Amino acid sequence: MAERRLLVLFGSQTGTAQDTAERIGREAARRRLHCRVEALDSCDVANLIHEPLVVFVCATTGQGDPPDNMKMFWRFLFRKNLPPGSLCQLDYAVLGLGDSSYPKFNFVAKKLHKRVLQLGGNPLLPVALGDDQHDLGPDAVVDPWLLALWDKILALYPLPPGLEIISPDIRLPPKYTLHYLPEDSPHPEGDLLRPAAPRAVPSELHPFAAPVVSNQRVTAPSHFQDVRLMEFDVTGSGITFSAGDVVMIQPQNCPEDVQQFCQLLHLDPDRRFVLKPTEPGTSLPPLLPQPCTIQHLVTHYLDISCVPRRSFFELLSYFSTNELEREKLQEFSSAQGQEELYSYCNRPRRTTLEALWDFPHTTCAIPADYLLDLIPRIRPRAFSIASSLLAHPDRIQILMAVVQYKTRLSKPRRGLCSTWLASLNPEQGDVRVPLWVKKGGMKFPADAATPVIMIGPGTGVAPFRAAIQERVAQGRRGNCLFFGCRQKSKDFYCQAEWEELVTKGFLTLFTAFSRDQEEKVYVQHRIQENRRLVWELLSSGNAHVYLAG
């Protein structure tokens, strides 16, 4: 009998593709398939030639780009020297997640499907193109596609004699079990939160704990938006970057939310535990120390402020001892209940913690073992670097708007990372932020004579501040910046710095203050007014144009 094993590989930027891949993993377990779910860059691509059955789940980001955790796989797959028949033993299916409001809708999934076919793979189904724009979201395509997929797979790999599909009424085991340590067991020396000294250049798995040097509000106190210029010290980290690069920051939950979560679930924040995988061969979450406290798990790992997904309600329904709550949870996790779930969760941006409040009987019955299945990990946030090492050695600066807005819920919505960063005060001792740097999508011209036209309204000016600092330090003059904001007196970021560079002849600056006069004026109006200059820079100067918003 053929070995009934399935590999589910995902490329995910925001977590949706990973969530879908894990759903496929659970559905495979119900059909008694031996299934592994991994990020594309975590699997050894060379081993694909030994895999009988693979489902790829991949998102498309930006302008048709693959997500970060499948970039190496993508480069390998498109190598010219791969033999045409190298994947001839592979049965496969590709599920794409995209957004049809973008021109390159599901580009990565389509291209992957075609490439695996070229390499000899045998497609079980046509590529699925999930669409965020659909009223029911990607699930409108995913649900029926998965039903067809399981029909195909069970025809190829029938259930072993005497075994049946595990009923949806039965709860699957958790991915990990938490083993509490005795209260009096010795504590290892040192602070859990202090990352180990970096062995190599800092990365997501080994971030650098950078001290916060300054945290300065750059909008007027009366302005509705709080925008910060923050500086981090990266001395000794080995971090290097150039203009256009991005700093990744790993945020944490606020103490009040952590305390509320622990109270709701009757968890003791000081209890220490070790994690054991349920299935042999499952790797442990890389960013969690072992042993770990509940406090650390909830503060640094569980994303209790994210908007919960359908899979959250599905798993939650298994713990419910209250019939009313269980019915509601089952409705939210059904295909028919997706519109109602959208109104309950997505539209008002309700958080996981707030959803748990609404299901009190179920919440206090959640076994701690299931926490890592129920709640995704906190994802790092990306910020354009707003400074140059040539102007500020050993420093990284960012220009950050603190995210806060109202929905129909009484409590204002707050961005997890920006709220946490804004709260940090370097005058209160040694305040550190876990970070690392990533190549950005913007490359500035190597040729010193090439002029640069930069259009950066609001905090979109951040990468251009880095570029202008870098270019001025190299003595380059052809810098033209179009900057826009609401009012000159309230949110004209870095005004003094720009004006000094204009005086010294390093910068040509055009500003649009939309609310400083009757009729609104934006950067596009200034570009139109200065069309002769812009055209001259483009036609005879060969200028490069950059736009960030």
Side-chain angles (χ1 to χ4, degrees):
M1 165 124 188
E3 193 187 352
R4 304 179 75 251
R5 72 171 204 262
L6 166 67
L7 177 60
V8 181
L9 295 173
F10 64 86
S12 186
Q13 196 70 20
T14 61
T16 310
Q18 179 172 352
D19 183 67
T20 305
E22 283 165 357
R23 170 186 170 183
I24 297 171
R26 290 190 297 276
E27 293 189 8
R30 291 194 180 279
R31 287 158 181 81
R32 303 184 186 268
L33 286 144
H34 183 69
C35 180
R36 291 197 340 268
V37 179
E38 288 182 16
L40 277 152
D41 278 355
S42 307
C43 88
D44 183 356
V45 198
N47 281 342
L48 270 187
I49 57 168
H50 305 303
E51 291 295 337
L53 184 59
V54 177
V55 175
F56 298 94
V57 184
C58 44
T60 296
T61 66
Q63 305 301 314
D65 304 313
D68 290 337
N69 62 4
M70 66 175 282
K71 284 199 154 73
M72 295 181 321
F73 168 84
W74 198 243
R75 278 198 293 272
F76 180 88
L77 195 70
F78 286 92
R79 274 165 45 171
K80 297 278 188 288
N81 60 352
L82 295 184
S86 44
L87 295 180
C88 60
Q89 86 311 329
L90 177 71
D91 287 328
Y92 76 99
V94 177
L95 165 51
L97 296 169
D99 182 324
S100 59
S101 66
Y102 284 80
K104 295 209 165 172
F105 172 54
N106 264 316
F107 184 73
V108 171
K110 293 171 185 169
K111 206 168 162 182
L112 173 64
H113 186 270
K114 214 161 137 184
R115 180 60 175 154
V116 178
L117 191 61
Q118 273 180 354
L119 294 171
N122 168 46
L124 295 177
L125 288 173
V127 58
L129 306 176
D131 184 7
D132 242 359
Q133 290 298 315
H134 192 284
D135 288 346
L136 299 177
D139 287 345
V141 167
V142 174
D143 290 358
W145 186 84
L146 279 180
L147 289 173
L149 179 72
W150 294 126
D151 284 347
K152 291 270 188 195
I153 288 177
L154 287 179
L156 288 170
Y157 300 94
L159 282 161
L163 284 182
E164 295 189 349
I165 292 177
I166 299 170
S167 146
D169 304 331
I170 295 172
R171 176 169 96 197
L172 293 171
K175 196 168 179 184
Y176 306 104
T177 48
L178 265 75
H179 296 263
Y180 285 116
L181 301 178
E183 310 239 348
D184 52 3
S185 66
H187 283 229
E189 286 306 303
D191 178 3
L192 283 177
L193 312 190
R194 196 46 37 97
R199 286 171 287 272
V201 177
S203 63
E204 182 161 8
L205 294 182
H206 303 285
F208 178 71
V212 179
V213 179
S214 62
N215 179 355
Q216 176 197 351
R217 180 170 171 142
V218 290
T219 42
S222 61
H223 190 55
F224 78 98
Q225 190 160 41
D226 180 355
V227 176
R228 304 296 177 99
L229 182 65
M230 294 190 71
E231 181 169 78
F232 308 101
D233 183 350
V234 293
T235 307
S237 65
I239 285 176
T240 60
F241 58 89
S242 44
D245 287 349
V246 165
V247 61
M248 304 298 294
I249 292 179
Q250 183 67 46
Q252 60 185 58
N253 291 309
C254 71
E256 303 80 62
D257 285 359
V258 172
Q259 189 187 354
Q260 267 190 22
F261 181 86
C262 290
Q263 284 169 351
L264 269 175
L265 277 82
H266 305 306
L267 294 167
D268 172 0
D270 299 323
R271 279 307 293 272
R272 294 161 67 245
F273 64 87
V274 289
L275 279 183
K276 301 265 170 72
T278 312
E279 288 277 316
T282 306
S283 51
L284 291 170
L287 293 161
L288 271 185
Q290 291 263 50
C292 181
T293 62
I294 292 288
Q295 176 92 28
H296 182 94
L297 173 73
V298 183
T299 303
H300 297 275
Y301 195 84
L302 299 179
D303 196 353
I304 58 176
S305 75
C306 72
V307 176
R309 301 174 188 274
R310 174 178 168 180
S311 58
F312 168 85
F313 295 97
E314 186 185 332
L315 182 52
L316 208 50
S317 69
Y318 288 104
F319 310 131
S320 197
T321 49
N322 175 290
E323 202 173 329
L324 267 177
E325 288 187 9
R326 186 168 58 244
E327 280 176 6
K328 193 72 194 161
L329 291 165
Q330 286 171 340
E331 183 188 343
F332 280 160
S333 49
S334 72
Q336 302 74 41
Q338 289 316 289
E339 233 161 302
E340 189 153 353
L341 177 60
Y342 191 85
S343 311
Y344 171 71
C345 263
N346 304 64
R347 200 166 285 124
R349 310 301 297 161
R350 195 183 301 271
T351 68
T352 294
L353 182 58
E354 288 168 331
L356 291 171
W357 273 109
D358 284 347
F359 296 91
H361 299 89
T362 308
T363 295
C364 65
I366 297 171
D369 285 345
Y370 280 93
L371 285 174
L372 284 101
D373 294 88
L374 191 62
I375 301 171
R377 71 175 176 88
I378 299 174
R379 297 198 164 256
R381 305 324 200 235
F383 294 91
S384 291
I385 296 174
S387 59
S388 165
L389 287 170
L390 300 179
H392 302 276
D394 292 324
R395 297 285 189 267
I396 287 179
Q397 295 182 358
I398 61 170
L399 189 64
M400 172 193 78
V402 182
V403 176
Q404 186 180 337
Y405 56 95
K406 281 289 294 173
T407 65
R408 65 178 169 79
L409 301 178
S410 57
K411 211 173 149 192
R413 309 290 89 193
R414 295 176 190 279
L416 173 67
C417 190
S418 60
T419 305
W420 170 62
L421 287 174
S423 75
L424 302 176
N425 181 358
E427 285 159 23
Q428 289 176 351
D430 183 22
V431 183
R432 289 173 182 252
V433 166
L435 55 77
W436 62 98
V437 163
K438 227 176 68 172
K439 273 274 153 256
M442 280 186 181
K443 295 265 180 290
F444 290 89
D447 178 4
T450 306
V452 172
I453 300 169
M454 294 161 280
I455 306 152
T459 51
V461 81
F464 303 139
R465 183 172 179 260
I468 291 165
Q469 286 183 0
E470 193 170 279
R471 288 170 61 83
V472 168
Q474 294 163 337
R476 300 182 178 188
R477 287 184 182 270
N479 305 307
C480 175
L481 174 66
F482 288 87
F483 174 76
C485 65
R486 289 194 171 205
Q487 289 159 302
K488 184 174 184 177
S489 60
K490 293 196 171 166
D491 55 340
F492 187 3
Y493 313 134
C494 314
Q495 179 180 356
E497 189 176 332
W498 303 138
E499 288 171 350
E500 186 188 344
L501 292 173
V502 170
T503 310
K504 290 181 172 169
F506 277 107
L507 180 66
T508 308
L509 176 68
F510 299 102
T511 52
F513 305 113
S514 63
R515 305 293 196 280
D516 275 351
Q517 60 285 308
E518 268 304 283
E519 68 298 338
K520 296 198 172 97
V521 176
Y522 296 112
V523 284
Q524 57 267 37
H525 298 118
R526 296 292 183 238
I527 293 168
Q528 201 170 14
E529 287 162 18
N530 295 280
R531 53 188 179 271
R532 284 202 175 81
L533 168 74
V534 172
W535 174 244
E536 190 178 322
L537 288 172
L538 287 171
S539 56
S540 43
N542 233 346
H544 291 200
V545 181
Y546 299 85
L547 176 65

